[in-house]
Amino acid sequence: MKWTVLVCALPLLTACISMKNVKELPSELIYKPPVSDVSATIMGKMEPRHTKLVGDRIAYIMEIDGKRVPKDKKESYSDTWDNVYPLTIGEHTMTVTYRMAGHYTKPTKLSFTAEANRNYQLDFVTDIGTAWFSGDSYADIWIKDKATGQPVTEVVRTAPPPAPRTISYPIIINN
């Protein structure tokens, strides 16, 4: 009898465990491409890994003008590095960041003025994951015009988040 109850309850228990509390962002907080005919585009950048021990180096866009870029539920934002985002002509602010394997930097903002019929791309220089004992201390990120390769923004330096503080508590044993 006990085995029968356990076997019958097992599918219910596993269903409850596998359900995740996944919340969606409201649609008004997701970036929507412009509807005008005249626009520019922007995308992230990936440099492939040089050895199998480290991951690809990726600079990617998280937000455009304060709105999160769209992504699938199972994707992380770094998976969207090759998405091409249409932009209206004029001033835009991007929230961008860098990732390589388990290393990442804090998000930072870049502002630039998009011109008609131009394609832009993030570019970066970093010491994160470039050598076995590199400092892993910074990523310099900027936006460039893809056709000319010329930068259209200033270089913004971002760094990994600070290491978590280690808190220790004394253990007192009374004999």
Side-chain angles (χ1 to χ4, degrees):
M1 179 70 177
K2 292 179 186 177
W3 285 102
T4 307
V5 172
L6 182 61
V7 169
C8 292
L10 194 58
L12 291 173
L13 292 174
T14 57
C16 292
I17 292 170
S18 65
M19 291 174 51
K20 294 182 180 176
N21 185 10
V22 177
K23 285 186 137 183
E24 297 288 322
L25 282 175
S27 64
E28 50 277 356
L29 298 178
I30 304 288
Y31 179 74
K32 293 174 185 58
V35 291
S36 75
D37 292 337
V38 180
S39 66
T41 64
I42 190 163
M43 66 182 292
K45 180 179 182 182
M46 187 268 295
E47 289 181 358
R49 62 179 154 223
H50 298 287
T51 68
K52 292 187 183 225
L53 298 176
V54 296
D56 299 327
R57 293 190 264 284
I58 301 171
Y60 57 98
I61 301 165
M62 294 178 68
E63 293 180 352
I64 299 173
D65 298 329
K67 309 257 181 175
R68 284 290 179 136
V69 297
K71 68 176 187 69
D72 292 333
K73 288 182 188 178
K74 294 181 182 179
E75 273 184 321
S76 64
Y77 282 100
S78 62
D79 294 332
T80 64
W81 73 267
D82 58 347
N83 289 2
V84 177
Y85 300 106
L87 299 171
T88 57
I89 306 312
E91 185 75 21
H92 293 282
T93 302
M94 310 282 155
T95 302
V96 300
T97 192
Y98 169 84
R99 177 187 71 75
M100 192 284 306
H103 301 280
Y104 60 95
T105 62
K106 296 182 283 187
T108 189
K109 296 199 182 292
L110 281 169
S111 295
F112 80 108
T113 302
E115 296 178 11
N117 303 316
R118 295 282 188 169
N119 297 313
Y120 300 99
Q121 183 175 22
L122 296 181
D123 206 350
F124 63 90
V125 173
T126 183
D127 74 339
I128 298 173
T130 56
W132 280 108
F133 295 104
S134 64
D136 292 342
S137 61
Y138 74 93
D140 288 340
I141 304 174
W142 66 93
I143 298 173
K144 69 178 182 180
D145 185 317
K146 280 181 74 171
T148 64
Q150 296 300 311
V152 296
T153 65
E154 73 283 357
V155 175
V156 176
R157 179 162 282 196
T158 182
R165 280 187 11 190
T166 304
I167 300 173
S168 62
Y169 295 99
I171 299 174
I172 302 170
I173 301 173
N174 294 325
N175 288 337

